[in-house]
Amino acid sequence: MMKNAIVYAAWRSVLVALCALIFTCVPVTAEFRTLVNKEGKKIRTELISKQDGKVTFRLRSGARKTYTVDISSLSKADQEFLQDWQPDGGGEVGGDDAGDDDSGADDVDDGVSDGPKSLYPKTKQEIRSTVREILKTKDRSGEFREEQKATNMLNVYRYLCGVPHKVKMDSKLNGHCEEAAMACLKKGGLSHDLGHYTNKCNLSSMGDVEASVAQYINDAGANNRERRGHRRWCLNPPMDKTGFGSGGSQYSAMWAMDGAGDGSRVKTWSYPGAGYFPKEYMHGTAWSFYMKGKVPPKDKIEISIFKLRKSPEKKISSNAEVEGRDIGVKYVFAYGNTINFEPKDFEAGDRGVYWVRITGGGLREGYVVEFF
């Protein structure tokens, strides 16, 4: 009881400090994560180090003060994540400059060799390093505004899903998006029929533009289940520029209608992306597969997802027996260049190696997704 009281007191002090802070924009120098304790309380953090079953972090607001809590006091998903997480540069914590070393030190080797390049296009270290670099990108004026943070987050998802990830933030489009968000605020609801560029944007009920990107990628809700159109626009290969705008504490918009870039080299892509995929970027239970051309009707498509015992050493042919457990697929919808599907036995945050097989209507696709 005494230990639980101490843990609760530590967590309470973090929450009190969070409420008292004035938020400022700071460059990303470590890994950001929303931690959840066993009581369900959430806090947005910048992870710094872990040692002896404890994790040390700062508040994501940019405050210099650090906090340390028992990893065992956190949710199961956070405990699993922190089991594999390695801090940059060995995770040493010193004075006020701790965690601000930008020398480019790479991740600690996790002792597991990466899979074959044909199935795993990016190594784990490449993913960790590239995600950090994307999240540190500033706008042309050297600022690190919320709109740029949101653009960076969009580029992270694009990178992980295998499409060009150098989408640029456009100030003019930011203005259009703010106009769209304010139109929704005035109406008191979301609609693409309000004028004010609402028909050109992804729209969100939250005012936090950076957090809205994960909401678009998740694309939850019964009205989004078939098409997952917000996700589809976020991962559109030829997107070259975007904008974000907020209505304040409620409503925000992301410019979606841009195709000025070159996405011609991308033949297929997916969410979650093929190969290694950080499980903290998997939201919900809906998966998507995209291709350059039109997909067959859903009644022609057969999808199987197998949870493998180990990472595959080579591609599994479409008619080969798979050494793994078929976790089932409970929902499929196909339109345009998109197939959306939902595994039966899968939850966001699950670890494991999955083989996706899509056949029928001329398709013979297979790829691995390994969450880490």
Side-chain angles (χ1 to χ4, degrees), residues 169-372:
M169 183 198 72
D170 185 278
S171 296
K172 182 178 180 180
L173 296 182
N174 287 345
H176 293 343
C177 291
E178 183 176 349
E179 186 173 334
M182 293 304 293
C184 292
L185 181 64
K186 183 177 180 180
K187 174 182 171 57
L190 300 175
S191 173
H192 293 287
D193 301 321
L194 303 177
H196 302 282
Y197 305 103
T198 53
N199 63 331
K200 302 291 185 181
C201 297
N202 282 343
L203 302 174
S204 169
S205 58
M206 64 171 58
D208 185 335
V209 293
E210 183 184 7
S212 72
V213 179
Q215 187 182 47
Y216 297 138
I217 293 293
N218 186 7
D219 224 357
N223 57 327
N224 295 319
R225 191 181 191 194
E226 287 186 348
R227 295 182 175 268
R228 308 276 173 186
H230 303 89
R231 176 188 295 176
R232 184 171 179 256
W233 282 115
C234 286
L235 302 179
N236 184 29
M239 179 180 281
D240 180 61
K241 58 186 178 180
T242 190
F244 289 87
S246 173
S249 61
Q250 294 185 73
Y251 303 110
S252 60
M254 168 196 154
W255 191 268
M257 301 291 184
D258 180 78
D262 181 12
S264 60
R265 295 184 180 181
V266 184
K267 307 302 181 186
T268 63
W269 61 104
S270 65
Y271 179 80
Y276 294 115
F277 195 90
K279 58 188 178 66
E280 64 267 28
Y281 288 97
M282 181 67 207
H283 310 295
T285 59
W287 298 33
S288 297
F289 174 83
Y290 308 93
M291 57 187 295
K292 194 172 183 179
K294 189 175 181 179
V295 301
K298 71 174 185 178
D299 58 356
K300 300 288 186 182
I301 298 171
E302 294 185 13
I303 300 179
S304 299
I305 305 177
F306 302 90
K307 189 168 186 179
L308 308 182
R309 298 185 181 91
K310 60 181 181 178
S311 304
E313 297 180 358
K314 61 181 181 180
K315 186 170 182 177
I316 304 172
S317 67
S318 58
N319 55 4
E321 183 176 349
V322 180
E323 294 184 7
R325 177 172 61 87
D326 188 341
I327 65 173
V329 174
K330 63 182 180 182
Y331 181 84
V332 177
F333 187 82
Y335 76 105
N337 70 332
T338 304
I339 304 173
N340 294 318
F341 53 100
E342 300 172 18
K344 284 184 180 179
D345 186 11
F346 175 80
E347 295 292 337
D350 285 356
R351 303 177 66 187
V353 186
Y354 298 85
W355 184 262
V356 180
R357 175 181 285 171
I358 305 175
T359 59
L363 290 181
R364 296 170 66 89
E365 298 288 340
Y367 60 96
V368 66
V369 177
E370 183 165 340
F371 294 101
F372 72 100

Side-chain angles (χ1 to χ4, degrees), residues 93-106:
V93 180
D96 283 347
D97 293 330
D100 284 322
D101 181 8
D102 198 22
S103 61
D106 215 335

Side-chain angles (χ1 to χ4, degrees), residues 8-40:
Y8 179 77
W11 195 261
R12 179 181 175 84
S13 68
V14 172
L15 293 174
V16 170
L18 177 63
C19 295
L21 284 169
I22 299 174
F23 288 85
T24 56
C25 299
V26 295
V28 176
T29 56
E31 185 157 4
F32 287 164
R33 183 173 177 84
T34 298
L35 296 178
V36 184
N37 71 0
K38 289 184 176 179
E39 284 72 43

Side-chain angles (χ1 to χ4, degrees), residues 114-123 126 274-276 312-314 368:
D114 290 302
K117 194 74 174 178
S118 60
L119 296 178
Y120 296 87
K122 301 177 280 285
T123 69
E126 287 172 341
Y276 294 115
E313 297 180 358
K314 61 181 181 180
V368 66

